[in-house]
Amino acid sequence: MEGFDYVIKRPPQARICFGSAITREAVPLRGPAMSSLMRRTMSKSAEAENLAPGSYDITYYDKAHHPALHRMVYSKRGYGSLSASSIRFQFDEVSHCPGVGDYDATKAKPVKASGKPFGATVPGWQEKPVPAVPGAGTYTPKTRKDIQLHSFGGKIRIVPATMTVCKTDNFDRCMVCEQKPEVDYWKNFKNERSLCRRCMEAEVDEAKYRSKTKSVMFKRLGELKEFKRIRHCSYYPKHDKTTAAIQFVSNRELKRKFRLENYLSMFE
């Protein structure tokens, strides 16, 4: 439309959005914003504006309501917990060695043990005899794992519990009975001495139960620990007095034999 001036007038801004319009001061000296405590402790001279320092009238603090302001301090040390000179914690000395006549010399009578304590008529506890041979599940087997040799993704080789010595003939003899060991036996590779199974068990019993002192027992057992359990290779190849070896047992049967022996070796 021509000749019409369109003017937008903003509405006047309200004083507050909600609540009261009373002016709130940080430290009010008068008005409804003062609390009852402020009215009681505020001096009359504080009602004047621009009150200078040192011009407060504190006569309203009387002795009845504030006696601590008019208390005189007569001690040169001041006041507080550090001005006291008396001993705070005073205990009686106790001697660990009493003098003559300070102790009780009466002899206590020994208490006779009751045949039936607490009036019980049940017979006493009797321990059961321990059998020489433990039952199933009452012993702790050795934790020997089934040792295997890995070749980085290749074939897995089982390590038997008893080492096998491959020779054309077994020339080892027991140093005690001088007999040729037929099955498993023990050998010291440092001095090339051998012990058969029966003599080895006898030597261990002799060292454990017939030694005069413990030092002698430990010394003899340490010497027997140097013997390693071995066997001759006559149980799976044939040499026929030559260096060649002809295997007459399949590898499947050998693996089964080694696994069974490794399992049974935990219960020896």
Side-chain angles (χ1 to χ4, degrees):
M1 299 176 61
E2 297 180 0
F4 178 77
D5 296 334
Y6 185 75
V7 180
I8 299 176
K9 294 183 180 181
R10 294 183 178 180
Q13 186 177 0
R15 294 180 60 189
I16 58 173
C17 296
F18 57 88
S20 176
I22 299 176
T23 304
R24 299 182 181 274
E25 301 178 4
V27 183
L29 300 177
R30 65 180 65 83
M34 293 181 61
S35 62
S36 58
L37 178 63
M38 296 173 66
R39 291 192 185 94
R40 185 171 63 252
T41 58
M42 184 67 67
S43 62
K44 297 180 180 179
S45 60
E47 297 180 359
E49 297 180 358
N50 300 324
L51 185 63
S55 60
Y56 292 93
D57 184 11
I58 59 173
T59 55
Y60 62 93
Y61 287 110
D62 52 352
K63 294 184 179 180
H65 293 84
H66 302 279
L69 297 177
H70 305 277
R71 184 180 302 172
M72 298 296 293
V73 180
Y74 300 98
S75 177
K76 294 182 180 180
R77 297 183 181 181
Y79 55 92
S81 58
L82 301 177
S83 62
S85 59
S86 61
I87 300 176
R88 297 184 63 188
F89 303 102
Q90 185 176 4
F91 301 98
D92 297 335
E93 295 184 0
V94 179
S95 176
H96 297 285
C97 300
V100 180
D102 293 340
Y103 50 85
D104 189 6
T106 56
K107 186 178 181 181
K109 296 182 180 180
V111 180
K112 185 178 179 181
S114 177
K116 296 180 179 180
F118 303 103
T121 57
V122 182
W125 175 264
Q126 297 180 359
E127 296 184 359
K128 297 182 180 179
V130 180
V133 180
T138 58
Y139 50 84
T140 304
K142 296 186 295 183
T143 58
R144 186 185 185 279
K145 297 181 180 180
D146 188 11
I147 304 175
Q148 297 178 350
L149 294 179
H150 299 265
S151 59
F152 300 100
K155 294 183 179 180
I156 300 176
R157 181 183 175 187
I158 300 175
V159 180
T162 305
M163 184 175 60
T164 302
V165 179
C166 187
K167 297 187 293 185
T168 56
D169 196 2
N170 189 9
F171 300 100
D172 294 332
R173 297 294 183 272
C174 179
M175 66 178 188
V176 179
C177 61
E178 298 181 356
Q179 297 292 330
K180 180 181 178 180
E182 297 180 356
V183 197
D184 297 347
Y185 62 99
W186 280 259
K187 184 175 182 178
N188 190 347
F189 291 95
K190 295 181 180 180
N191 51 21
E192 296 295 329
R193 292 185 177 182
S194 303
L195 281 172
C196 63
R197 190 186 191 95
R198 184 178 300 175
C199 295
M200 186 65 177
E201 293 177 356
E203 288 291 330
V204 173
D205 292 342
E206 185 75 18
K208 285 184 177 181
Y209 307 111
R210 293 178 178 84
S211 298
K212 293 183 179 180
T213 59
K214 288 187 176 181
S215 59
V216 176
M217 179 186 69
F218 292 143
K219 183 179 179 181
R220 295 180 64 180
L221 291 176
E223 294 175 355
L224 293 176
K225 283 184 179 180
E226 296 181 357
F227 286 80
K228 305 299 180 183
R229 184 175 179 177
I230 63 173
R231 68 173 58 160
H232 190 252
C233 64
S234 59
Y235 62 93
Y236 76 95
K238 289 182 180 181
H239 290 284
D240 293 336
K241 298 181 181 181
T242 61
T243 56
I246 303 173
Q247 184 175 344
F248 60 88
V249 179
S250 63
N251 293 333
R252 184 176 181 180
E253 293 179 0
L254 280 177
K255 289 182 180 180
R256 183 179 180 183
K257 175 182 176 63
F258 292 156
R259 287 177 180 173
L260 181 60
E261 289 180 352
N262 288 350
Y263 172 75
L264 295 177
S265 65
M266 296 190 302
F267 305 98
E268 292 182 351

